Amino acid sequence: MLPEKWKGGSLLLLFFLFSNVSGVYVGITIGTDMSNLPSASDIVSILKAQRIKHVRLFDTDHQMLNALANTGIEVMVGVPNDQLLSIGQSRTVAADWINKNVAAFVPATNITYIAVGNEVLSTIPNASFVLVPAMKFLQSALVAANLNFLVKVSSPQSMDVMPKSFPPFTATFNSTWNSVMYEYLQFLKNTGSSFMLNAQPYYGYTKGHGIFPIDYALFRAFNPNNQIVDPNTNFYYTNMFDAMVDAAYYSMEALKFSDIPVIVTATGWPWLGGSNEPDATVDNALAYNSNLIRHVLNGSGTPSRPNAPVNTYIHELFNEDLRPGPISEKSWGVFFPNGTTVYSLRFEHLSDPNADSAGLVGVFCIANSSADVNELKKGLDWACGAGSANCSAIQPGQPCYESDNLVVVASYAYNDYYHRTQANGGTCNFNNTAMITTTDPSHGSCIFAGSSGSNNTSGDVAFAPVSPSSGATTLQILCVTYLISIILFFLV
């Protein structure tokens, strides 16, 4: 028979096993600092439509948690910074928080993580003394509720906790927080939780003042003569994201912790900025997030941990127009509040032979109608020539040929080039004669690459984990089946 103390959690254990079969994932954060936040049910409708399976909330809004019930979406809830002090000073307050915001919703709502505060050490250092006590009190409350095996506790840190993150091997945490950081890491090790890191290459690039090439920040191939190497390990870094994650691993090693996984709780790229923020563009945001999804779901890990995939949350679902700061701070969202996309993201597994090489749906590179005619002709000639775009559809007699409309013809060539090359560094520029749009320029039988009607794209946005058919081995599935059969045997 199943031991008495296990019976209350047996069904939750089965639920836990099913929810973790599929492995590495990319989720998305949902901020609420906006003037026209959609309803909880509308938000969940967007998540379902886009097949987003993991979300990070910055609070525990009950309407949102109820709307997420029975969806299968894994949820990370947050303890806001302004609640940290009360929870960190009282076991009773912590227990009440768990009962009201976690126990009341599971297992219908699949809460798997509690993020305690956000960047506490670097943004409100005076509250650092209550961070670990708050985590311990919440963990004790989870144990009392028999939920500790289902819900893990951690706290997101910013890159600012590491004063010098490159080269990664020499990175260390700010010594001011050594005692707090040691207790934090010991807690993570004892509870089997993960180190939460907010890793933003956008800031790493813009604050680097040209030290690193932008292609390095955007996961794009760059000049082999400018390879980024850690001289201490001889590891080559092809992107800034991996270097940031490895900096966290090496900083933990400096405090004698080497077996704690890293989960990236926020990363992304703003799509709009002010006049002094030239790198906040739709083109760059699309490049960063689409390449990030491809990189993470490939499961290749980082140079120092090639066998340790990094689960990641893209920041963020919506633009938060009420956030203070420059325009870029308000413009990280992938969606507008009405559910339309700022730009579209899609992931197709690398093993899929039919995958569109760019993986872009609903995003188009078109000619600017106000551009100089001679410059448009040069751009068209280059795209169909050296750019290797497939221009057969704009030849006389073909569906996209319009002898008297240079803008349409150039748009088709520009867009085909962009979709073929974007993943490897291709841009939508053409000497400033091109622009990104989410309005489908397809017309009649002239179908542009990226259209939901094209034969090389599926139109789906997927932040979901690799499916069992492509990411989980037969052995993994059999092992889970075996475990479930054992649990059912004891339940009988």
Side-chain angles (χ1 to χ4, degrees), residues 205-219:
Y205 171 72
T206 57
K207 294 177 181 179
H209 305 293
I211 296 176
F212 299 108
I214 191 168
D215 289 337
Y216 174 63
L218 296 174
F219 295 90

Side-chain angles (χ1 to χ4, degrees), residues 6-25:
W6 289 6
K7 287 184 177 179
S10 57
L11 293 179
L12 288 177
L13 179 56
L14 285 171
F15 184 76
F16 175 79
L17 288 171
F18 278 121
S19 67
N20 286 274
V21 171
S22 50
V24 64
Y25 62 82

Side-chain angles (χ1 to χ4, degrees), residues 84-282:
L84 190 63
L85 188 62
S86 60
I87 291 175
Q89 293 181 323
S90 171
R91 288 182 179 273
T92 302
V93 172
D96 185 60
W97 193 95
I98 290 295
N99 289 333
K100 290 181 178 179
N101 299 307
V102 179
F105 295 95
V106 296
T109 303
N110 189 12
I111 299 173
T112 57
Y113 259 106
I114 299 173
V116 183
N118 187 52
E119 302 185 353
V120 173
L121 298 184
S122 54
T123 58
I124 48 172
N126 291 337
S128 61
F129 73 98
V130 295
L131 176 59
V132 177
M135 295 169 66
K136 289 181 176 178
F137 289 164
L138 291 169
Q139 177 70 15
S140 296
L142 288 172
V143 171
N146 200 24
L147 294 174
N148 55 299
F149 60 87
L150 177 64
V151 184
K152 296 298 182 183
V153 176
S154 187
S155 180
Q157 307 298 328
S158 76
M159 289 298 298
D160 291 336
V161 299
M162 296 168 280
K164 186 181 179 185
S165 60
F166 197 91
F169 183 78
T170 59
T172 58
F173 295 120
N174 188 325
S175 59
T176 303
W177 301 312
N178 269 1
S179 60
V180 174
M181 190 60 71
Y182 183 88
E183 290 184 47
Y184 167 64
L185 296 176
Q186 190 64 59
F187 172 87
L188 299 182
K189 181 178 180 180
N190 292 343
T191 59
S193 192
S194 300
F195 183 94
M196 291 181 171
L197 178 68
N198 293 343
Q200 300 288 13
Y202 172 75
Y203 295 126
Y205 171 72
T206 57
K207 294 177 181 179
H209 305 293
I211 296 176
F212 299 108
I214 191 168
D215 289 337
Y216 174 63
L218 296 174
F219 295 90
R220 285 174 167 165
F222 50 96
N223 191 327
N225 296 324
N226 296 327
Q227 291 296 317
I228 311 297
V229 183
D230 185 331
N232 305 281
T233 60
N234 288 326
F235 287 145
Y236 284 78
Y237 285 89
T238 59
N239 62 83
M240 191 180 292
F241 177 88
D242 281 354
M244 287 179 164
V245 173
D246 268 357
Y249 279 127
Y250 284 121
S251 294
M252 287 190 279
E253 283 190 5
L255 292 179
K256 309 301 181 185
F257 293 89
S258 59
D259 54 355
I260 298 173
V262 171
I263 179 172
V264 173
T265 40
T267 190
W269 199 280
W271 62 273
L272 182 65
S275 58
N276 61 338
E277 299 174 299
D279 302 300
T281 67
V282 169

Side-chain angles (χ1 to χ4, degrees), residues 155-476:
S155 180
Q157 307 298 328
S158 76
M159 289 298 298
D160 291 336
V161 299
M162 296 168 280
K164 186 181 179 185
S165 60
F166 197 91
F169 183 78
T170 59
T172 58
F173 295 120
N174 188 325
S175 59
T176 303
W177 301 312
N178 269 1
S179 60
V180 174
M181 190 60 71
Y182 183 88
E183 290 184 47
Y184 167 64
L185 296 176
Q186 190 64 59
F187 172 87
L188 299 182
K189 181 178 180 180
N190 292 343
T191 59
S193 192
S194 300
F195 183 94
M196 291 181 171
L197 178 68
N198 293 343
Q200 300 288 13
Y202 172 75
Y203 295 126
Y205 171 72
T206 57
K207 294 177 181 179
H209 305 293
I211 296 176
F212 299 108
I214 191 168
D215 289 337
Y216 174 63
L218 296 174
F219 295 90
R220 285 174 167 165
F222 50 96
N223 191 327
N225 296 324
N226 296 327
Q227 291 296 317
I228 311 297
V229 183
D230 185 331
N232 305 281
T233 60
N234 288 326
F235 287 145
Y236 284 78
Y237 285 89
T238 59
N239 62 83
M240 191 180 292
F241 177 88
D242 281 354
M244 287 179 164
V245 173
D246 268 357
Y249 279 127
Y250 284 121
S251 294
M252 287 190 279
E253 283 190 5
L255 292 179
K256 309 301 181 185
F257 293 89
S258 59
D259 54 355
I260 298 173
V262 171
I263 179 172
V264 173
T265 40
T267 190
W269 199 280
W271 62 273
L272 182 65
S275 58
N276 61 338
E277 299 174 299
D279 302 300
T281 67
V282 169
D283 204 8
N284 287 345
L286 174 63
Y288 180 81
N289 284 328
S290 59
N291 290 336
L292 169 78
I293 293 171
R294 184 178 297 105
H295 178 72
V296 171
L297 292 185
N298 189 35
S300 57
T302 65
S304 79
R305 301 288 196 284
N307 298 317
V310 182
N311 292 326
T312 299
Y313 292 82
I314 286 177
H315 184 74
E316 59 186 324
L317 188 64
F318 299 116
N319 299 304
E320 294 185 89
D321 63 306
L322 298 181
R323 287 182 63 86
I327 293 175
S328 63
E329 282 297 306
K330 312 170 192 292
S331 309
W332 291 70
V334 178
F335 288 86
F336 293 108
N338 64 3
T340 60
T341 57
V342 178
Y343 54 90
S344 296
L345 295 174
R346 185 189 60 169
F347 173 80
E348 289 180 310
H349 197 265
L350 296 179
S351 64
D352 183 354
N354 298 316
D356 179 8
S357 61
L360 309 176
V361 179
V363 176
F364 308 92
C365 176
I366 62 171
N368 190 330
S369 59
S370 62
D372 180 79
V373 172
N374 291 325
E375 291 299 319
L376 278 179
K377 289 180 179 178
K378 290 179 183 179
L380 174 62
D381 290 342
W382 186 91
C384 296
S388 300
N390 182 355
C391 296
S392 58
I394 54 176
Q395 301 306 308
Q398 298 304 308
C400 298
Y401 175 72
E402 294 187 31
S403 60
D404 58 348
N405 196 333
L406 178 61
V407 171
V408 169
V409 173
S411 291
Y412 185 91
Y414 286 4
N415 186 66
D416 189 86
Y417 166 82
Y418 184 62
H419 274 256
R420 288 172 178 273
T421 65
Q422 188 272 339
N424 295 314
T427 62
C428 181
N429 186 277
F430 295 94
N431 199 24
N432 297 317
T433 65
M435 57 188 284
I436 290 287
T437 182
T438 55
T439 301
D440 190 345
S442 301
H443 52 281
S445 58
C446 177
I447 307 300
F448 278 54
S451 170
S452 59
S454 62
N455 59 11
N456 62 345
T457 58
S458 68
D460 292 327
V461 177
F463 292 80
V466 179
S467 66
S469 60
S470 59
T473 65
T474 301
L475 178 60
Q476 287 175 313

